[in-house]
């Protein structure tokens, strides 16, 4: 899987940005991201065939709690990608290795902390979710086993961050396929064939994360040049660690604010009754599906923007912004068009309740529009992460969240659930537009004033 790095790297400061480069990162990672919902469907299907509703409920609750915990550490992937890409742009492979070791060190320590905190996470989470009896017991069983994967799972964030920082999209796809593929096969084998049920599904995840970590570590270690190995003193350099932690903190706040936005949307929707809540949950999948491939182009923006910043190469950054935006807009338009044309059929596949189908139809246009409303936010997140302008990304997310909450209350009071969907689209658009508005200023600060184009003085 190392064919991506066989050619000699261009000298720092000069490299070509073109459609081929963008697609070489975006397409594999889009496919990689799409393997995640497939895994979730398989795990649910395996447990669902056990014939015990409590086990299925326990799995759902435990998965939510685990995802919430891991969202806290998702910054390990993003921050590592940006810093490795910048080191690559400077032609500093020693720093690339140092960034990887720092991230891996944080991942292992954080993973051990998650294992130690599992009893508290479980107690607080089950109370918050209102789980009792067999459902709580099932959730506790699954979470207690799956938590053992935390050091390997978080290390996989650091590993993926490194390979994406190097622009190795094919390797990223390979590693995600290994993890999710092993997980799917073992879930079926341990859960159903050998009859270990929910415990088997949990152990399948643990084994898959460890396998992916071992394979990823071997690939990275193999491509490291021993002659450029960083000293331990450089790896634990205080200033470098503080920079990584500052990036991590900003990205973490941004992620929690995004989750808060989705939670607020759900809370507001619940106030309109069960039918509307169910319709909103179904329609939200339109945006989530679009997010899988938009994330692929955001990843391409991360790598190329980071590399351009490291190389001090303004033209590459400008072209990266343009190309990733063009591709993102084109695919978002296709997604919006698809759901406008076939949205009713998609809703019908997801529910047999006529009342929910009819309610979803009332807001189908606004749900289909979310891909176009959100494409700039995805792309700008990638650019800002790669350029390590994380503070701006955090601040604009908080501003957009406040705008969303205020607008949702006002518009919902006048137009009900329609107002909520309009406010949600504005929220998505505001995230991207505020960051895009700041982009000329940040580029001028990084490279000096430009005569024209994106980098022109604001």
């Amino acid at each position: 899987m190392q064919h991506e790095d066989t050619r000699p790297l261009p000298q720092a400061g000069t490299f070509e940005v073109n459609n081929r480069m963008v697609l070489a990162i975006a397409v594999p990672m889009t496919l990689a991201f799409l393997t995640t919902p497939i895994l979730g469907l398989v795990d649910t299907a395996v447990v669902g065939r056990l014939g015990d509703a409590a086990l299925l409920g326990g799995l759902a609750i435990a998965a939510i709690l685990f995802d919430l915990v891991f969202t806290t550490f998702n910054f390990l992937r993003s921050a590592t990608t940006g810093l490795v890409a910048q080191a690559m742009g400077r032609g500093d492979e020693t720093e690339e290795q140092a960034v990887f070791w720092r991230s891996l060190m944080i991942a292992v320590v954080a993973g051990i902390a998650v294992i130690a905190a599992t009893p508290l996470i479980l107690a607080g989470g089950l109370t918050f979710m209102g789980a009792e009896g067999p459902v709580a017991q099932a959730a506790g069983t699954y979470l207690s086993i799956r938590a053992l994967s935390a050091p390997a799972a978080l290390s996989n964030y650091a590993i993926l961050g490194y390979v994406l920082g190097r622009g190795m999209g094919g390797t990223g796809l390979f590693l995600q396929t290994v993890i999710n593929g092993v997980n799917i096969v073992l879930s079926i084998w341990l859960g159903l064939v050998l009859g270990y049920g929910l415990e088997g599904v949990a152990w399948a995840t643990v084994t898959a994360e460890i396998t992916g970590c071992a394979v990823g570590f071997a690939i990275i270690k193999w491509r490291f040049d021993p002659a450029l190995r960083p000293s331990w003193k450089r790896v634990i350099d205080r200033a470098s660690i503080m920079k990584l932690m500052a990036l991590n903190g900003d990205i973490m706040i941004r992620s929690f604010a995004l989750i808060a936005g989705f939670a607020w949307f759900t809370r507001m929707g619940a106030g309109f009754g069960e039918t509307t809540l169910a319709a909103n949950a179904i329609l939200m999948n339109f945006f989530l599906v679009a997010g899988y491939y938009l994330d692929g182009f955001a990843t391409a923006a991360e790598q190329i923007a980071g590399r351009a910043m490291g190389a001090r190469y303004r033209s590459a950054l400008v072209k990266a912004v343009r190309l990733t935006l063009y591709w993102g807009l084109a695919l978002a338009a296709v997604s919006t068009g698809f759901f406008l044309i076939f949205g009713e059929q998609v809703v019908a596949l997801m529910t047999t309740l006529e009342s929910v189908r009819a309610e979803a139809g009332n807001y189908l246009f606004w749900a289909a529009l979310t891909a176009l409303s959100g494409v700039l936010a995805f792309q700008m997140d990638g650019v800002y992460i790669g350029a390590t302008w994380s503070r701006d990304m955090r601040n604009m997310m908080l501003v957009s969240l406040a705008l969303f909450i205020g607008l949702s209350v006002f518009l919902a009071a006048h137009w009900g659930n329609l107002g909520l969907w309009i406010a949600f689209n504005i929220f998505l658009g505001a995230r991207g537009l505020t960051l895009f508005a700041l982009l000329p200023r940040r580029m001028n600060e990084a490279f000096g004033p430009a005569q024209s184009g994106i980098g022109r003085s604001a």
Side-chain angles (χ1 to χ4, degrees), residues 104-117:
L104 190 67
M105 180 175 61
I106 293 172
V108 172
V109 172
I112 294 172
V114 168
I115 293 175

Side-chain angles (χ1 to χ4, degrees), residues 20-30 164 167 169 296 299-300 303-304:
R20 182 178 180 181
M21 172 186 261
V22 171
L23 294 176
I25 301 171
V27 173
M29 291 317 301
T30 296
L164 293 181
T299 301
Q303 199 278 334
I304 303 172

Side-chain angles (χ1 to χ4, degrees), residues 41-124:
L41 289 172
V42 171
D43 282 354
T44 300
V46 169
V47 175
R49 291 181 64 86
L50 299 176
D52 188 338
L55 294 180
L56 200 56
L59 173 65
I61 289 174
I64 290 172
L65 294 177
F66 207 77
D67 288 345
L68 285 174
V69 171
F70 268 35
T71 296
T72 306
F73 300 102
N74 194 43
F75 57 72
L76 284 168
R77 205 282 298 163
S78 300
T80 304
T81 296
L83 292 173
V84 168
Q86 289 193 13
M88 180 183 179
R90 294 192 301 270
D92 188 353
E93 187 173 332
T94 299
E95 182 60 18
E96 289 179 35
Q97 295 187 32
V99 171
F100 171 73
W101 292 120
R102 287 182 205 118
S103 296
L104 190 67
M105 180 175 61
I106 293 172
V108 172
V109 172
I112 294 172
V114 168
I115 293 175
T118 296
L120 293 176
I121 295 170
L122 194 55

Side-chain angles (χ1 to χ4, degrees), residues 189-212:
W189 186 52
L190 293 175
L192 292 179
V193 178
L194 297 185
Y196 289 109
L198 186 65
E199 292 90 339
V201 172
W203 281 113
T205 301
V206 174
T207 305
E209 294 286 3
I210 293 173
T211 301

Side-chain angles (χ1 to χ4, degrees), residues 184-251:
I184 288 170
V185 171
L186 287 182
S187 288
I188 296 172
W189 186 52
L190 293 175
L192 292 179
V193 178
L194 297 185
Y196 289 109
L198 186 65
E199 292 90 339
V201 172
W203 281 113
T205 301
V206 174
T207 305
E209 294 286 3
I210 293 173
T211 301
C213 183
V215 172
F217 184 81
I219 289 174
I220 292 176
K221 194 70 170 63
W222 177 81
R223 75 160 308 281
F224 277 170
D225 185 347
L228 299 175
R229 180 184 301 135
S231 65
W232 179 245
K233 182 178 180 180
R234 179 165 180 172
V235 171
I236 61 172
D237 174 66
R238 185 175 183 275
S240 297
I241 291 177
M242 292 304 294
K243 180 178 181 181
L244 177 59
M245 294 305 295
L247 282 172
N248 291 343
D250 290 337
I251 296 171

Side-chain angles (χ1 to χ4, degrees), residues 362-443:
N362 294 330
Y363 316 109
L364 186 61
F365 170 81
W366 295 99
L369 193 63
T370 54
L372 279 172
S373 300
V375 61
L376 187 59
F378 278 91
Q379 189 240 7
M380 284 291 104
D381 277 356
V383 171
Y384 276 69
I385 288 172
T388 61
W389 297 328
S390 59
R391 182 175 299 178
D392 290 326
M393 188 174 65
R394 177 201 68 192
N395 292 344
M396 294 306 101
M397 170 61 83
L398 293 174
V399 168
S400 300
L401 177 62
L403 175 66
F404 170 51
I405 292 173
L407 276 177
S408 65
V409 172
F410 176 77
L411 294 178
H414 290 79
W415 296 332
N417 196 53
L418 175 61
L420 178 61
W421 274 104
I422 294 173
F424 184 69
N425 275 272
I426 293 174
F427 168 54
L428 297 176
R431 285 185 54 218
L433 289 171
T434 51
L435 290 174
F436 190 77
L438 281 175
L439 188 58
R441 181 184 302 173
R442 291 295 170 259
M443 290 183 65

